[in-house]
């Protein structure tokens, strides 16, 4: 039940479900390549570094990671508000991406690369940047929220039809999203907070907490979770490790006899078969502990 509430609030059904169907073939932009094909050639005769380029200048892979194209901060913020860091593009803006396991989930983006709408196995969301409206819900039951944007179209808050605040975002001095709080979102009494920690402009960790509001002064924790995001030397997403902690009846994290926080479950996802834009196209997610499972994922990407 805790996991269901968490997934419903944050809209991250994207990485769930068993892979019992034949995976669809990725589009040409998502065709996997080996890591060798993603490496940069060096002109040893002239003593200068050269780079591999596609016909589109924006696809250039520079010989130095420091010179590699970076996503606009507001694009990263849009992804992190609506979904998870696993779905961020490495460098090139995405028009649509789908995640295939036993079912299919899809997310579409506008011409600026911001999340436009998504369909996550019946959970639907749509962001209208012109009317500042957010439509969210299931197939037959959807709610409309008023969005407050800043000048860069970052979502800084949302209100429901009763003019009650249901979402607040916080940003650091560099304009990066560092915290999102959902309060009574989707007509429930759950308060949900996610905190994002960065290292060298990459998401390093996300901390999740959810509470049930007992009364005006008291909240009962129902979820404590942390996700570590790990990259390889080429700054490609390599692995995520998500730990969910066991809670007591009072909502406190249980400490075992080894003086360690006791885990309810651990999910480890390994990513591979990177395409020419350094985005992963295959993943395997294994969960141990409560609800053990193994999931195979195929990611198909269409770029802008």
């Amino acid at each position: 039940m805790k996991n269901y509430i968490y997934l419903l609030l944050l809209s991250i059904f994207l990485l769930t479900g068993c892979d019992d169907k034949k995976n669809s073939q990725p589009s040409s932009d998502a065709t996997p390549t080996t890591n060798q094909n993603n490496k940069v050639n060096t002109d040893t005769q002239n003593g200068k570094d050269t780079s591999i380029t596609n016909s589109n200048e924006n696809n250039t892979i520079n010989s130095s990671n420091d010179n590699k194209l970076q996503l606009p901060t507001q694009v990263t913020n849009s992804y992190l508000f609506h979904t998870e860091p696993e779905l961020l593009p490495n460098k090139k803006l995405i028009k649509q991406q789908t995640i295939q396991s036993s079912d299919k989930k899809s997310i579409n983006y506008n011409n600026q690369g911001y999340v436009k709408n998504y369909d996550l196995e019946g959970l639907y969301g749509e962001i209208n940047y012109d009317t500042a409206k957010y439509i969210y819900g299931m197939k037959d039951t959807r709610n409309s929220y008023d969005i407050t944007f800043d000048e860069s179209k970052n979502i800084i808050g949302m209100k429901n039809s009763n003019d009650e605040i249901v979402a607040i975002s916080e940003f650091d001095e560099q304009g990066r999203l560092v915290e999102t709080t959902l309060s009574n979102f989707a007509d429930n009494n759950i308060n949900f907070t996610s905190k994002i920690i960065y290292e060298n402009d990459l998401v390093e960790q996300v901390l999740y907490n959810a509470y049930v509001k007992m009364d005006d002064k008291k909240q009962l924790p129902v979820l404590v979770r942390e996700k570590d995001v790990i990259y390889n030397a080429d700054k490609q997403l390599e692995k995520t490790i998500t730990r969910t902690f066991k809670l007591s009846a009072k909502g406190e994290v249980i400490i075992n006899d080894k003086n360690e926080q006791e885990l309810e479950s651990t999910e480890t996802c390994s990513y591979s078969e990177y395409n020419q834009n350094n985005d992963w196209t295959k993943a395997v997610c294994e969960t141990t502990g409560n609800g053990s499972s193994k999931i195979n994922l195929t990611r198909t990407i269409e770029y802008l």
Side-chain angles (χ1 to χ4, degrees), residues 65-66 68-73 76-77 80 88-90 172 174-176 196-204 231 235:
N65 281 332
D66 293 336
K68 190 178 71 172
L69 295 175
Q70 292 186 347
L71 294 174
T73 300
T76 300
N77 291 343
L80 295 177
L88 277 164
N90 186 278
D172 63 13
Q174 297 173 257
R176 301 178 302 189
I196 303 165
I197 299 170
Y198 297 86
E199 177 66 27
N200 296 327
D201 292 323
L202 295 174
V203 176
E204 181 182 52
Y231 306 87
K235 296 187 178 181

Side-chain angles (χ1 to χ4, degrees), residues 241-267:
I241 303 173
T242 305
R243 303 175 183 88
T244 302
F245 297 96
K246 282 188 177 181
L247 302 180
S248 68
K250 295 182 179 180
E252 299 171 343
V253 175
I254 296 173
I255 305 298
N256 60 25
D257 54 9
K258 296 181 180 179
N259 201 32
E260 298 172 336
Q261 293 177 315
E262 194 162 338
L263 291 171
E264 182 175 296
S265 65
T266 300
E267 180 192 63

Side-chain angles (χ1 to χ4, degrees), residues 40-228:
V40 177
N41 293 325
T42 303
D43 186 351
T44 56
Q45 292 180 349
N46 296 326
K48 296 181 180 179
D49 290 338
T50 59
S51 60
I52 301 172
T53 59
N54 295 326
S55 58
N56 187 334
E57 184 178 354
N58 290 331
N59 290 336
T60 301
I61 303 174
N62 294 306
S63 59
S64 170
N65 281 332
D66 293 336
N67 295 327
K68 190 178 71 172
L69 295 175
Q70 292 186 347
L71 294 174
T73 300
Q74 56 268 37
V75 170
T76 300
N77 291 343
S78 178
Y79 275 74
L80 295 177
F81 183 90
H82 298 288
T83 57
E84 290 288 279
E86 297 94 313
L87 301 180
L88 277 164
N90 186 278
K91 59 183 177 180
K92 187 174 181 182
L93 297 181
I94 291 176
K95 180 179 180 180
Q96 182 188 69
Q97 62 175 312
T98 61
I99 307 297
Q100 184 82 44
S101 57
S102 60
D103 45 51
K104 180 180 178 181
K105 297 98 176 178
S106 62
I107 309 176
N108 297 293
Y109 305 86
N110 65 15
N111 290 334
Q112 287 73 46
Y114 306 158
V115 175
K116 181 172 67 174
N117 58 61
Y118 53 81
D119 186 352
L120 313 180
E121 196 181 354
L123 181 63
Y124 177 84
E126 179 180 351
I127 304 90
N128 191 315
Y129 293 89
D130 296 324
T131 62
K133 294 289 185 181
Y134 188 106
I135 308 299
Y136 177 91
M138 308 302 286
K139 181 178 180 180
D140 299 322
T141 306
R142 297 178 184 176
N143 297 318
S144 177
Y145 301 94
D146 294 322
I147 303 173
T148 300
F149 291 112
D150 65 10
E151 63 278 3
S152 298
K153 290 298 183 180
N154 291 309
I155 296 177
I156 61 175
M158 294 196 303
K159 291 184 177 182
N160 61 19
S161 58
N162 296 321
D163 204 37
E164 298 168 328
I165 296 174
V166 297
I168 298 176
S169 299
E170 296 184 18
F171 304 85
D172 63 13
E173 294 179 353
Q174 297 173 257
R176 301 178 302 189
L177 180 66
V178 293
E179 185 171 338
T180 300
T181 300
L182 303 179
S183 303
N184 302 318
F185 186 72
D187 294 332
N188 61 66
N189 65 337
I190 302 292
N191 290 347
F192 182 87
T193 300
S194 63
K195 296 183 179 180
I196 303 165
I197 299 170
Y198 297 86
E199 177 66 27
N200 296 327
D201 292 323
L202 295 174
V203 176
E204 181 182 52
Q205 189 178 56
V206 186
L207 307 176
Y208 308 99
N209 291 274
Y211 308 85
V212 174
K213 189 175 181 180
M214 307 300 289
D215 53 45
D216 291 338
K217 297 181 179 180
K218 186 177 180 181
Q219 296 187 118
L220 177 67
V222 293
L223 176 74
V224 176
R225 178 175 290 173
E226 63 182 30
K227 174 180 291 185
D228 294 330

